[in-house]
Structure formats: C-alpha cells, structure tokens
C-alpha cells in the first residue's frame, strides 16, 4: 500500500486536500465515463443505495461499491438537507467517502465527499451530453446556481464545442450573480441571467436542473415549453417537470434501474416511472442507442451512483499518496 501502513493508519483528506490533487475537469469526465461504462457492462458489485430521512425533504444515503477492474472498494455516506443554507449558512449537500483495501477489507482513507459529489455529478451530465445531446448545440440552460450549477457549466463547455450562450436561473438572484462572477472568466460562452424558467427553457436546447429534491414533485416547468430536440438532464428527480413531459419523451434514460425502482418504492415518483429505454452506462458501453436524430426529446434522470464516487475517490487517494497530500491518522 504505497507508503501507507495497512491496518495501522489511514489517510485523511479534507476538501482542500482533494482539490489540491489537481485532478482536471477533463480527467474527471474521463474517470466518470469509465465508471459509467463499467456500470453499463455490470462489471461491479453495487447494491442500490439505501437511506434515512430525518427531516421532510432531507436524505442520508449509504452508497457502497466494489469495482474489480480498478481494485476500488468503499462507500460514500451522503446527506442532503435543503434548509442548511438558510438555517446555518452551510451547503445542503455534504458527504464523506471511505475507501477500503479490497483484499483485507481494512480502511485506507477517509476523505471529504462533497467536492467529489459535485464534480462527479456534473461529469455524469457532461458524459450524458456526449451520448444524448445534439452535438451542435449552441445553448445550455442551468437551473440552480449553487456549487453544482457552477461545476456543470465548467464541464459542459468541454463537451459542447459550439456552445455560445449559457442561460441560468435561480430563485436566489445573488447566487446567479456569484456564478457569473466566478465562472464567466473560465468559459468562452456568454452567461445570461434568465428572467424566468420559461425564458431559460425556451432559450436552451440542453437543460440541466440541480435544485432541491422534494419528497413529491413540485412542477414549475410547463409541458408546453418543452419542444422536440430538447435534452433534459435531471439531477433532482422529477421535481420540476410535469408528468406529461416525463411521459412523452422519445427516450427516457436513468443512471441505475435498481436505484430508481427503489426510489419509486420510497414514494419519490407518485405518478409512476415512464418506460425506461436503458441506463446511461449502457449507452456509454455501446449496449444501447442514445440520440438518433435531432428531433428526439430525450430525458436523462441521474440520481447518483456509488461507482462514480468510488472510482473518482480512488484516483484522489492515489494521487494524494503519491504527492504526500493529506494527513495520516492512526487506527
């Protein structure tokens, strides 16, 4: 175990430590695409994530995975509490990633999982855009302007070479201003504040929503605004969309059939799940067909999978060890 005494110490990595490994956005997309391919071919051990819900519209999820090809083994313990910012001035999403040695089961690392969750989620959308979006799209819409929204825009520009305009919307106007201040210098496309969800939807060919996940949908995007050729990426389940929109998509993909079926049992889809064409990883692996023409309305519902966290977490761990980043703690 490269400079780590197995069984007597672990490596502890803060969020700053994870970022300090200097894994690039392109590398994150590469690692996540590989994780999705592995999942599509079912070359892993990953049960559906289970959860508890201490408060209404909150969640705490246990997400284990073992990926033999990469000898990556561990679990993410993640939570989402929408009122955190208002109550405590803290982000709604938090997480820890625990990595284990795949041969002994002993823990080798505990690291911040919040940064990993943010970048891998945006990377899943970026990979989805490559498989399901119209390749020549010049417009992208981002609903939700927190850290996840910022990272989405950074990564989307890497997979949309013709991108010219990014439309953003958030009920918190200051969040929109902060996003523009921070992200506009990093991309060539022009970021524009939409005055409403309607303006964003009608101005964007590819749309991602990363808002609060509510126990039941609270539709705010009218079906009549959604046109042929739209590609919709959902990081917040069916929260914002009307059921008729979800139901009339030409193709509806999920990241994990097993997890979405479990979420259906939890009650997150009171109107039911539509016919599912397959998993995103199956498209990445070439087992299912993605977009076939420019007029298809395609919906991709990604609720997050442990394979993405553990594959990326393993890369962070390896680079941190190699560059002497983080703190070794005794067991």
């Amino acid at each position: 175990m490269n400079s780590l005494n197995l069984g007597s110490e672990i490596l502890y990595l803060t969020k700053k430590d994870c970022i300090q490994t200097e894994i690039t956005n392109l590398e994150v997309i590469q690692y996540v695409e590989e994780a999705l391919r592995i999942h599509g071919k079912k070359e892993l051990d990953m049960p559906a994530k289970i959860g508890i819900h201490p408060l209404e519209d909150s969640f705490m999820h246990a997400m284990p995975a073992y990926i033999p090809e990469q000898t990556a083994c561990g679990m993410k313990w993640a939570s989402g509490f929408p009122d955190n910012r208002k109550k405590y001035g803290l982000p709604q999403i938090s997480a820890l990633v625990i990595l284990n040695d795949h041969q002994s089961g002993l823990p080798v690392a505990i690291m911040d999982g919040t940064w990993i969750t943010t970048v891998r989620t945006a990377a899943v959308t970026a990979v989805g855009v490559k498989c399901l979006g119209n390749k020549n799209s010049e417009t992208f819409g981002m609903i939700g302007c927190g850290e996840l929204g910022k990272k989405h825009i950074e990564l989307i520009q890497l997979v949309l070479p013709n991108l010219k305009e990014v439309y953003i919307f958030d009920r918190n106007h200051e969040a929109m201003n902060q996003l523009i201040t921070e992200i506009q210098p990093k991309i060539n496309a022009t970021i524009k504040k939409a005055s409403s969800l309607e303006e964003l939807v009608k101005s964007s060919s590819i749309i991602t929503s990363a808002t609060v996940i509510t126990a039941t949908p609270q539709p705010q995007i009218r079906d009549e605004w959604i046109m042929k050729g739209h590609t919709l990426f959902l990081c917040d389940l069916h929260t914002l969309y009307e059921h008729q929109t979800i139901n009339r998509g030409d193709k509806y993909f999920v990241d994990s059939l097993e997890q979405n079926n479990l979420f259906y049992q939890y009650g997150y889809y009171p109107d039911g799940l539509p016919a599912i064409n397959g998993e995103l990883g199956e498209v990445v692996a070439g087992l299912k067909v993605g977009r076939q023409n420019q007029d298809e309305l395609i919906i991709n519902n990604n609720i997050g999978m442990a394979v993405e966290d553990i594959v990326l977490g393993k890369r962070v761990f390896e680079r941190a060890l190699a560059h002497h980043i983080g703190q070794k703690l005794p067991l």
Side-chain angles (χ1 to χ4, degrees), residues 91-109:
Q92 66 160 315
I93 300 295
S94 64
L96 285 176
V97 171
I98 299 97
L99 296 181
N100 297 76
D101 174 59
H102 74 290
Q103 293 182 319
S104 67
L106 291 164
V108 295

Side-chain angles (χ1 to χ4, degrees), residues 64-204:
Y66 170 50
I67 305 94
E69 179 182 313
Q70 304 200 8
T71 62
C73 180
M75 186 186 81
K76 185 174 79 170
W77 179 234
S79 68
F81 283 66
D83 292 334
N84 274 2
R85 194 169 299 281
K86 181 170 62 178
K87 286 182 177 180
Y88 312 113
L90 296 170
Q92 66 160 315
I93 300 295
S94 64
L96 285 176
V97 171
I98 299 97
L99 296 181
N100 297 76
D101 174 59
H102 74 290
Q103 293 182 319
S104 67
L106 291 164
V108 295
I110 297 175
M111 66 185 72
D112 168 75
T114 307
W115 176 82
I116 287 174
T117 299
T118 298
V119 297
R120 67 80 154 146
T121 303
V124 171
T125 300
V127 174
V129 167
K130 292 171 64 176
C131 299
L132 307 175
N134 277 311
K135 300 295 187 295
N136 297 321
S137 294
E138 297 181 351
T139 55
F140 174 75
M142 186 70 230
I143 303 170
C145 294
E147 293 304 311
L148 192 48
K150 294 174 185 176
K151 186 55 68 173
H152 262 89
I153 296 171
E154 279 190 56
L155 269 60
I156 289 301
Q157 63 154 348
L158 300 176
V159 296
L160 287 179
N162 297 324
L163 185 63
K164 293 181 179 178
E165 295 175 326
V166 174
Y167 290 84
I168 61 173
F169 182 81
D170 197 297
R171 291 179 299 174
N172 182 342
H173 289 276
E174 184 53 34
M176 289 195 284
N177 293 333
Q178 289 176 0
L179 184 150
I180 292 174
T181 299
E182 185 175 336
I183 304 302
Q184 184 62 84
K186 299 180 180 181
I187 69 170
N188 293 323
T190 301
I191 303 177
K192 298 183 176 182
K193 289 191 290 184
S195 60
S196 64
L197 283 172
E198 181 177 3
E199 180 189 358
L200 181 144
V201 169
K202 290 182 175 180
S203 301
S204 310

Side-chain angles (χ1 to χ4, degrees), residues 15 17 69 103 183 230 238 250 268 291 301 308 310:
K15 178 180 179 180
D17 292 331
E69 179 182 313
Q103 293 182 319
I183 304 302
H230 261 137
H238 294 175
D250 293 297
Y268 279 106
R291 179 173 290 278
N301 178 11
E308 303 148 5
I310 303 307

Side-chain angles (χ1 to χ4, degrees), residues 30-42:
Q30 174 191 336
Y31 300 151
V32 167
E33 189 165 9
E34 183 66 10
L36 288 167
R37 181 192 65 79
I38 290 169
H39 180 259
K41 296 176 73 174
K42 299 298 178 282

Side-chain angles (χ1 to χ4, degrees), residues 273-286:
L273 281 166
I276 296 174
N277 292 81
E279 296 173 323
L280 179 57
E282 293 178 305
V283 181
V284 173

